[in-house]
Amino acid sequence: MTSSILPQPVAALAEPVAEVQRPLHADVDREADFDRHATALYRFFLVRLANDRHAADDLMQQLCLQWRQGGRHVPGDELEFWLRRVARNALTARWRKNRRRPDQCTLADPALAAELAERMVREELPPGLLEQRETRQQLMLALTTLSTADQELIVSHYFQDRSFAEIGKALSLSERAVEGRLYRARQALRARLAHLEENEKEFRS
Amino acid sequence: MNPNHDPHDAQLDRNLRAAGRSISLPDAPTAEQAAGWKRAAPVAPASLGLSEGGTRRRVWRFAGVGMAVAASLAFGVISLWPTGHAPVEAKQIFASFTEKLSSAFRVSFENIVADGVHVDGQVIAVFPEPSGDDSADTTGTGVCAELHVRGDKSAEDFAGGDIDLRFALTPGHEWAYLRLNKLPREVLKEGGPVAAIIYGMTHDGLLLKLDGFLEGKLAGLGEHFDLARAFREANHEVRHAMKNVHTEIHSELKKTAECDASNPENEEAAQIARALQELLPKLFSGGATSEDLQTLGSILEQAAGKVTVTPMSDGTTVLEASEFKADEGDEDTEMIARLVLRIVYRPQVGVERAEVLNVGESNGRVRIELGNASLNDTMFDESRLIDGNRTRVLDLGELMKVFGPMIEQAIHEHEDSDDDDSGDDDDE
């Protein structure tokens, strides 16, 4: 298992992602709302900025600022949608301001992604294909468009090798419920991969 | 559908399992990073109830104004006070700052505009640990910079220009990159065919590979260049230069204070200096208490109309100063008034980061991070800059192998001819 990197993503579903800094008298519940999506949003930026941590940090700061200014009033069940929209706008605004997209940024290849989505359900993918940079990029682009909950399930189970029981314990769910959710997350990932162009169109112009 | 009865899903499951084994996810944010995002939000006003106002006249003279505010405000105001009675302590304080600066730093600037020229970019440097041994490990060290410069209509000599500049130097990867997105209008008008040739060479990007050029022997010229050693020497030079800057500023400020000995304002400065003598060593060593930080906030009120000191839940304290006032007659009064200085202090570590907001004509940002800068592998990967066959790549190392001997010969002939000329003069 090569990925190690995401610390306790499952726990992140139930708790704030980290002991993040906040003013002492802030509304703790609201902070937790933001924190719940922070890792997924950060990953969204990193994947589209060729792992440039500093640029992703800047965009996360901007996102946090906008959330404090306007996002706190967004109802809880709409917050993720709101945050993702702001994140996309922030990324495109950054590229527009710099007049163009950075050379190293990851681009969607809809044809390759669609082919991958098809092959993933029909055949055993050869190891060489998974090691290709383009393949990895399309998978990462699709993964990071998933909802936080789906994304963390996929990451926990497939990238961090956590069992249904471990995930279920962290989420207070039965193993069967976890299996069902993971099934839906897989299908969502495949659908995103098959329609990557639609999800990434604003980043292609 | 039940996942157990869906053969397509079972195949998908197996492939995702294989993908999970062979694909590395991007790094997750650390708690410290997440804390940094939150700091971007406005700090709660008057959280420790510091008062506003106070005398604001002299600090600007000491601190300086302008683009150097990032460094001079963050560290100048608090560490370069004219401590005429205790130069030794001042040196110790500055040595601490120099130590941090010289090990690693990142300076980023965003939307900085001056005279119509817009600049965005960052410079990151990670130096090897100081060592007398030339063979010290230089892994993970290097310098890289990314700059995007463009000129709007009001830029005098650069109107319409748009340039990307990058360079990276680390053992094993040395290159520079230039892309002229647009030529400045003046150059277009007057440059003629030369400008057209330069534009043609660079508008799709020009990558200069320096590996063979810098590292090892410069063929024909008989020069040797050891990048690792150059980094060590650069580290030494930075330290040396910073100490010199400190000495000069310190001396200048001390002179200013002595000249005005009869001025009652000087007594006020002396009192502040005494307070800072006690405070600053603690601040830079990470030993300052919350009371010390409040004291620092009070001192900054000499220059700023509004100062807040906010303890954060991750243990850091954010000191923010704004509504600065300039000296009378200062041309930059408006710009100074907009500036916001933010210092992040962490107990046991010291000042971690300083940034100045609302800099320049477009409210840009300058940020200095000390000691904890890291280099990203992608920054050194020049292949990302090559756009198919459009980007021109020049390997200067290879070129030097071909042209080096000719250049060397030309240099020697030129030197010989100079010698002959001077000999003739002597004869005359």
Side-chain angles (χ1 to χ4, degrees), chain B residues 161-217:
Chain B
D162 190 325
I163 293 178
D164 273 313
L165 288 166
R166 296 167 192 212
F167 77 83
L169 291 175
T170 190
H173 286 275
E174 299 107 51
W175 50 264
Y177 175 82
L178 166 68
R179 185 156 85 176
L180 200 49
N181 301 311
K182 284 184 185 170
L183 275 176
R185 291 199 189 98
E186 284 296 309
V187 178
L188 272 176
K189 275 186 202 166
E190 299 172 9
V194 176
I197 290 169
I198 293 174
Y199 182 66
M201 283 186 71
T202 57
H203 81 280
D204 283 325
L206 173 64
L207 179 69
L208 299 175
K209 298 182 83 164
L210 307 173
D211 302 73
F213 184 68
L214 293 176
E215 199 90 42
K217 186 177 182 181

Side-chain angles (χ1 to χ4, degrees), chain B residues 300-322:
Chain B
L300 278 176
E301 283 180 341
Q302 303 292 312
K306 185 174 175 182
V307 178
T308 61
V309 181
T310 308
M312 310 301 277
S313 63
D314 70 344
T316 59
T317 298
V318 176
L319 188 152
E320 190 169 270
S322 56

Side-chain angles (χ1 to χ4, degrees), chain B residues 311-335:
Chain B
M312 310 301 277
S313 63
D314 70 344
T316 59
T317 298
V318 176
L319 188 152
E320 190 169 270
S322 56
E323 298 178 13
F324 288 97
K325 296 290 173 69
D327 283 343
E328 278 179 28
D330 198 316
E331 291 177 0
D332 298 318
T333 305
E334 273 187 38
M335 188 204 82

Side-chain angles (χ1 to χ4, degrees), chain A:
Chain A
M1 173 73 58
T2 53
S3 67
S4 49
I5 343 186
L6 288 181
Q8 316 254 341
V10 176
L13 292 169
E15 296 170 8
V17 67
E19 290 183 14
V20 289
Q21 180 190 52
R22 51 187 173 262
L24 290 178
H25 306 297
D27 181 340
V28 174
D29 290 340
R30 285 295 188 180
E31 295 280 334
D33 283 344
F34 179 86
D35 296 340
R36 193 169 296 121
H37 302 291
T39 297
L41 291 163
Y42 179 66
R43 199 184 294 138
F44 172 85
F45 287 135
L46 274 182
V47 165
R48 284 157 184 79
L49 292 163
N51 219 22
D52 184 342
R53 191 172 64 87
H54 296 303
D57 270 341
D58 283 346
L59 286 170
M60 283 301 293
Q61 280 196 358
Q62 199 178 322
L63 183 59
C64 185
L65 189 61
Q66 284 187 261
W67 170 72
R68 284 205 168 144
Q69 286 170 348
R72 283 168 177 270
H73 307 298
V74 177
D77 56 348
E78 293 173 20
L79 181 64
E80 181 172 7
F81 177 77
W82 186 89
L83 283 170
R84 284 187 175 274
R85 187 161 47 84
V86 175
R88 281 174 177 273
N89 289 343
L91 190 60
T92 45
R94 184 185 185 88
W95 288 341
R96 200 177 302 124
K97 195 181 83 177
N98 294 336
R99 289 276 177 104
R100 62 191 181 81
R101 188 185 298 118
D103 309 276
Q104 74 275 25
C105 91
T106 305
L107 288 177
D109 182 340
L112 175 63
E115 184 193 339
L116 200 57
E118 188 60 27
R119 290 181 69 179
M120 284 187 91
V121 296
R122 298 204 178 277
E123 60 181 272
E124 203 80 38
L125 292 182
L129 180 68
L130 288 171
E131 283 163 13
Q132 284 176 12
R133 186 178 170 189
E134 293 76 13
T135 307
R136 293 200 308 265
Q137 286 180 341
Q138 304 313 308
L139 267 175
M140 285 296 108
L141 285 171
L143 177 69
T144 50
T145 59
L146 289 179
S147 69
T148 301
D150 283 350
Q151 203 174 128
E152 298 302 359
L153 275 170
I154 298 268
V155 167
S156 300
H157 188 61
Y158 294 108
F159 289 82
Q160 298 193 323
D161 213 15
R162 291 175 194 272
S163 66
F164 293 153
E166 287 174 301
I167 298 173
K169 192 176 174 188
L171 296 178
S172 304
L173 292 172
S174 68
E175 289 187 35
R176 193 172 177 77
V178 172
E179 196 179 351
R181 288 190 185 193
L182 201 54
Y183 169 73
R184 287 193 289 278
R186 277 194 302 270
Q187 297 307 315
L189 176 62
R190 186 183 165 238
R192 295 297 169 97
L193 204 51
H195 301 100
L196 201 54
E197 184 169 25
E198 203 173 293
N199 290 305
E200 296 288 307
K201 61 186 172 190
E202 67 262 52
F203 301 135
R204 291 176 57 77
S205 56

Side-chain angles (χ1 to χ4, degrees), chain B residues 184-260:
Chain B
R185 291 199 189 98
E186 284 296 309
V187 178
L188 272 176
K189 275 186 202 166
E190 299 172 9
V194 176
I197 290 169
I198 293 174
Y199 182 66
M201 283 186 71
T202 57
H203 81 280
D204 283 325
L206 173 64
L207 179 69
L208 299 175
K209 298 182 83 164
L210 307 173
D211 302 73
F213 184 68
L214 293 176
E215 199 90 42
K217 186 177 182 181
L218 290 182
L221 292 182
E223 295 289 336
H224 290 268
F225 186 91
D226 179 346
L227 187 62
R229 193 174 68 194
F231 276 126
R232 284 190 288 274
E233 287 172 357
N235 186 12
H236 175 76
E237 289 300 320
V238 168
R239 285 162 188 274
H240 188 65
M242 294 307 293
K243 280 177 185 164
N244 284 345
V245 168
H246 166 247
T247 306
E248 281 181 25
I249 294 176
H250 184 269
S251 157
E252 188 63 33
L253 294 176
K254 189 178 170 190
K255 206 184 334 174
T256 307
E258 284 172 353
C259 285
D260 295 331

Side-chain angles (χ1 to χ4, degrees), chain B residues 23-278:
Chain B
I23 296 176
S24 295
L25 289 171
D27 288 349
T30 61
E32 189 184 339
Q33 270 179 282
W37 306 335
K38 300 286 177 72
R39 286 188 204 114
V43 177
S47 51
L48 286 187
L50 290 173
S51 60
E52 296 184 5
T55 55
R56 299 159 181 144
R57 287 180 295 279
R58 299 187 59 78
V59 171
W60 286 109
R61 193 186 301 174
F62 300 146
V65 183
M67 274 305 300
V69 284
S72 59
L73 271 178
F75 299 100
V77 168
I78 56 179
S79 72
L80 300 180
W81 199 272
T83 51
H85 303 293
V88 175
E89 285 85 342
K91 278 182 185 170
Q92 286 169 347
I93 292 160
F94 203 78
S96 168
F97 167 51
T98 307
E99 184 69 33
K100 282 188 170 187
L101 180 66
S102 59
S103 60
F105 68 85
R106 176 187 184 229
V107 180
S108 57
F109 25 97
E110 205 169 281
N111 210 23
I112 303 299
V113 183
D115 298 329
V117 178
H118 300 239
V119 182
D120 293 89
Q122 62 172 345
V123 179
I124 301 175
V126 179
F127 293 108
E129 288 301 314
S131 163
D133 179 7
D134 266 7
S135 62
D137 184 18
T138 52
T139 308
T141 65
V143 180
C144 67
E146 299 179 331
L147 292 177
H148 179 215
V149 184
R150 68 182 176 86
D152 62 27
K153 288 176 189 170
S154 63
E156 268 186 31
D157 298 325
F158 197 65
D162 190 325
I163 293 178
D164 273 313
L165 288 166
R166 296 167 192 212
F167 77 83
L169 291 175
T170 190
H173 286 275
E174 299 107 51
W175 50 264
Y177 175 82
L178 166 68
R179 185 156 85 176
L180 200 49
N181 301 311
K182 284 184 185 170
L183 275 176
R185 291 199 189 98
E186 284 296 309
V187 178
L188 272 176
K189 275 186 202 166
E190 299 172 9
V194 176
I197 290 169
I198 293 174
Y199 182 66
M201 283 186 71
T202 57
H203 81 280
D204 283 325
L206 173 64
L207 179 69
L208 299 175
K209 298 182 83 164
L210 307 173
D211 302 73
F213 184 68
L214 293 176
E215 199 90 42
K217 186 177 182 181
L218 290 182
L221 292 182
E223 295 289 336
H224 290 268
F225 186 91
D226 179 346
L227 187 62
R229 193 174 68 194
F231 276 126
R232 284 190 288 274
E233 287 172 357
N235 186 12
H236 175 76
E237 289 300 320
V238 168
R239 285 162 188 274
H240 188 65
M242 294 307 293
K243 280 177 185 164
N244 284 345
V245 168
H246 166 247
T247 306
E248 281 181 25
I249 294 176
H250 184 269
S251 157
E252 188 63 33
L253 294 176
K254 189 178 170 190
K255 206 184 334 174
T256 307
E258 284 172 353
C259 285
D260 295 331
S262 58
N263 191 333
E265 278 185 2
N266 234 18
E267 178 52 30
E268 184 187 3
Q271 281 178 8
I272 292 171
R274 281 192 287 275
L276 282 171
Q277 282 170 34
E278 288 182 18

